[in-house]
Amino acid sequence: METEIVSILFGSFLVLLLIGAPITVALGVASLISFLYLGENPIKFVQIAFTSVGAFPLMALPAFILAGALMEAAGISKRLINVAESLAGPFTGGISAATVMACLFFGAISGSGPATTAAVGMLMIPAMINRGYERGYASAITASSGGLGIIIPPSIPMVIFGIAALGMAPPPEAVEKFGTFQSVSISKLFIAGFVPAFLIATSLLILNYFMSKQRGYKGMGEGWSARNVLCEMYRGFWSLMAPLVILGGIYTGFFTPTEAAIVAIFYTLVIGVFIYRELTWASLFQSLEATTWLTGRVLLILFTATVFGRLLVENQIPAIIAEGMLSFTDSLYVIWALIIFFLLFVGMFMETLATILILVPVMLPVAYSVGIDPIHFGVVMVCTLGIGFQTPPLGENLFIASGISNISIEQISLRALPFAAANTVAIFIIAFFPQLSLWLPRLLGY
């Protein structure tokens, strides 16, 4: 039965893609065909789709998209990006490098890949196009950098991993063989994500430099100067304070990452109205309109992708693949390679939060059994699933970048593949060298 349903599910999905159906339609129709083949009541399709947006952390998505739109209207995003461009602007591919750094800055506010892509992309994609960048390249570097939003804290997927892993004790055999494992906490995961986030950002910057050099994308005409950097930091003081306010509130326990989305909106409104005085009623309504459009587009994909993923889970496909994949070797490096490639594959088809909730109970015991630290495993898992934001068919960042730049998903996807490959190399380094993730939490006494 599992073989038949997989053939029907993926077969109909691929056929629909080949005849030019939108990805949302392909996911939805393939899932519906599979439901009918299994004799399920089609109303279950609607129920699963409806409940897919019921997760409390997911409520942060529209709020952070709104915060990003308001930051653009209020002048906060512009000042953050000016700071980033003052650091990277004069170099080859400077403005695209500034896009990567701006995603790091904004990721420390949003905790969401799509929200980071939306906030930075609405300003940086048009700016890159005006500087002579190809639309596809500008969209691809933004979509690829947007994945940093779920690695740099605060990270919604890390919160979900922490919740899923909290009640899972390591097997006694693993404790006997490897000793006591450290406990899982969301604070540890947040701190452990800092170095991997900067490593992945560095891989993007290196690839961007060589690709920009090949394509002839120059930096700003004026040279780099510390005075210019300090001036931009002074002008953007209140903008730079936004990540500190959000992270400070989370770490001190004043609010959760989801509540931080509302704090981000309130902070942006105060700065935009009373300090920068650039936020108007017209721009406020434009921000609400952009939020509605982008959120609706992402949620439509989420509806159908969740049903698609649920069919896989109910037929035990992820569990069968994971168990079979990890049963034929005891080499730690081979197991890491299998885990990463498996997560890359699953991340192409399933929404990140659902994937974490589904696969942590399956894969964390396997990680324990080969001596992998749970915090290290959580960081690698989130980093790997972050690539799913920039790879079709699910790739929410691709859809957002496509909407901003007004070019097809296919054009962006082809140009995003080299960045996905660079991210994958960085993830292998993070996986093979656990101290990259674990030294900072230990340094801070966790």
Side-chain angles (χ1 to χ4, degrees), residues 320-334:
I320 292 169
I321 294 174
E323 291 172 8
M325 178 183 66
L326 301 174
S327 64
F328 67 88
T329 180
D330 57 0
S331 168
L332 180 61
Y333 297 110
V334 174

Side-chain angles (χ1 to χ4, degrees), residues 337-356:
L338 293 172
I339 289 173
I340 291 170
F341 285 126
F342 177 64
L343 290 174
L344 287 172
F345 173 77
V346 174
M348 293 171 61
F349 296 97
M350 293 175 61
E351 192 271 331
T352 301
L353 302 184
T355 303
I356 292 172

Side-chain angles (χ1 to χ4, degrees), residues 77 88 139 143 145 175-176 237 348 373 415 427 446:
S77 293
S139 303
S145 304
V175 174
E176 183 179 348
F237 173 78
M348 293 171 61
D373 183 274
R415 289 159 181 81
I427 288 167
Y446 283 90

Side-chain angles (χ1 to χ4, degrees), residues 182-378:
Q182 67 172 320
S183 61
V184 176
S185 77
I186 293 169
S187 298
K188 288 181 190 176
L189 287 164
F190 277 1
I191 296 171
F194 269 106
V195 174
F198 280 98
L199 179 60
I200 291 173
T202 301
S203 73
L204 292 173
L205 289 170
I206 292 171
L207 180 60
N208 171 70
Y209 173 80
F210 288 107
M211 294 185 73
S212 296
K213 190 173 183 179
Q214 183 183 30
R215 294 164 179 258
Y217 298 149
K218 305 295 183 183
M220 296 188 303
E222 60 269 22
W224 185 90
S225 72
R227 184 176 183 277
N228 183 43
V229 174
L230 291 173
C231 286
E232 291 297 345
M233 291 179 72
Y234 175 77
R235 295 188 190 103
F237 173 78
W238 292 106
S239 301
L240 291 170
M241 282 296 293
L244 297 179
V245 170
I246 304 304
L247 289 175
I250 293 172
Y251 287 144
T252 55
F254 275 82
F255 40 73
T256 67
T258 301
E259 294 164 345
I262 307 304
V263 174
I265 293 173
F266 180 77
Y267 181 88
T268 303
L269 289 172
V270 171
I271 300 302
V273 173
F274 297 107
I275 297 181
Y276 293 157
R277 299 182 181 180
E278 295 183 22
L279 190 61
T280 64
W281 283 108
S283 60
L284 176 61
F285 284 114
Q286 287 176 356
S287 299
L288 291 170
E289 182 182 356
T291 301
T292 303
W293 178 76
L294 286 170
T295 303
R297 188 168 182 175
V298 172
L299 290 182
L300 277 175
I301 303 165
L302 181 62
F303 288 158
T304 52
T306 300
V307 179
F308 192 93
R310 180 71 66 85
L311 278 167
L312 291 175
V313 173
E314 289 183 350
N315 289 277
Q316 304 297 316
I317 306 305
I320 292 169
I321 294 174
E323 291 172 8
M325 178 183 66
L326 301 174
S327 64
F328 67 88
T329 180
D330 57 0
S331 168
L332 180 61
Y333 297 110
V334 174
I335 288 174
W336 263 129
L338 293 172
I339 289 173
I340 291 170
F341 285 126
F342 177 64
L343 290 174
L344 287 172
F345 173 77
V346 174
M348 293 171 61
F349 296 97
M350 293 175 61
E351 192 271 331
T352 301
L353 302 184
T355 303
I356 292 172
L357 289 170
I358 291 164
L359 291 184
V360 166
V362 175
M363 304 191 77
L364 186 56
V366 177
Y368 279 131
S369 67
V370 292
I372 296 174
D373 183 274
I375 299 296
H376 180 215
F377 179 78

